[in-house]
Amino acid sequence: MNTARETVEVDPALFRAVYDSPASLPGRHRWTTPEHDVRRLEKLLGMPAQSIGAPLWVSGDEPDCPKCGRRTTWLDIVASALKGVHDPLMIATVILGDRRYVNTEIPDAIAGVHCLDCHTPVTGLRSFKCHNWAYAFEELAVVRERMRGGSGPAGGPPAGR
């Protein structure tokens, strides 16, 4: 049996049919990233404030860090991924973009995620996804430009969210 992890782009209709429902997430528990962690995530990535407006779902067998009790969120996942796995622009593109990606593997725990507060490995995390269907490509380009240090429209989130 092949257990290699591979991420592939899928047609939006297929993505919605299979992955749109939080009930489709593997693991005993399903939860969303709280607002304060979403805002910290934007800062971590260097994104303009209020860029992320869609729910950031997480699922797993244990929602909280076994050592410090912090709820595992996209903030933990992204902070871990930024340590040599992905760059901030790629992560922003996945969160805000109009393409949908899925990981293809046996639904094991997601490797390499650590608690942001105490750095304990998170071993029961099974899946994470976002629902940002209405984000316009042009607005994503503005966010990415501002992340690179360029100027973008001032004042508040991009239009159309």
Side-chain angles (χ1 to χ4, degrees):
M1 180 180 296
N2 182 3
T3 61
R5 184 177 301 247
E6 182 181 0
T7 302
V8 296
E9 184 177 352
V10 295
D11 178 83
L14 175 63
F15 187 88
R16 284 186 185 114
V18 177
Y19 294 97
D20 200 25
S21 168
S24 70
L25 293 170
R28 289 192 307 255
H29 304 279
R30 290 152 196 84
W31 62 97
T32 58
T33 299
E35 184 75 14
H36 60 87
D37 274 7
V38 173
R39 303 294 74 97
R40 287 178 67 193
L41 173 61
E42 290 169 339
K43 285 181 184 179
L44 178 66
L45 292 172
M47 297 173 78
Q50 303 293 315
S51 292
I52 301 171
L56 300 177
W57 285 94
V58 183
S59 73
D61 297 327
E62 298 301 328
D64 302 323
C65 173
K67 183 174 180 185
C68 73
R70 173 181 156 66
R71 176 66 42 113
T72 302
T73 70
W74 270 66
L75 181 60
D76 303 277
I77 296 163
V78 170
S80 298
L82 288 173
K83 295 180 178 163
V85 179
H86 298 301
D87 72 32
L89 284 174
M90 187 288 258
I91 294 171
T93 300
V94 169
I95 293 172
L96 302 177
D98 61 353
R99 293 179 166 177
R100 298 292 154 227
Y101 298 87
V102 297
N103 289 325
T104 60
E105 77 274 348
I106 296 175
D108 287 331
I110 297 169
V113 178
H114 292 81
C115 175
L116 186 67
D117 288 349
C118 72
H119 310 291
T120 298
V122 175
T123 59
L125 187 65
R126 303 283 298 275
S127 184
F128 55 99
K129 68 178 179 174
C130 63
H131 294 180
N132 209 3
W133 301 118
Y135 213 93
F137 182 76
E138 293 79 19
E139 293 165 340
L140 174 59
V142 170
V143 170
R144 291 178 62 166
E145 178 62 27
R146 288 183 66 190
M147 288 174 67
R148 289 185 182 110
S151 62
R161 283 190 328 136

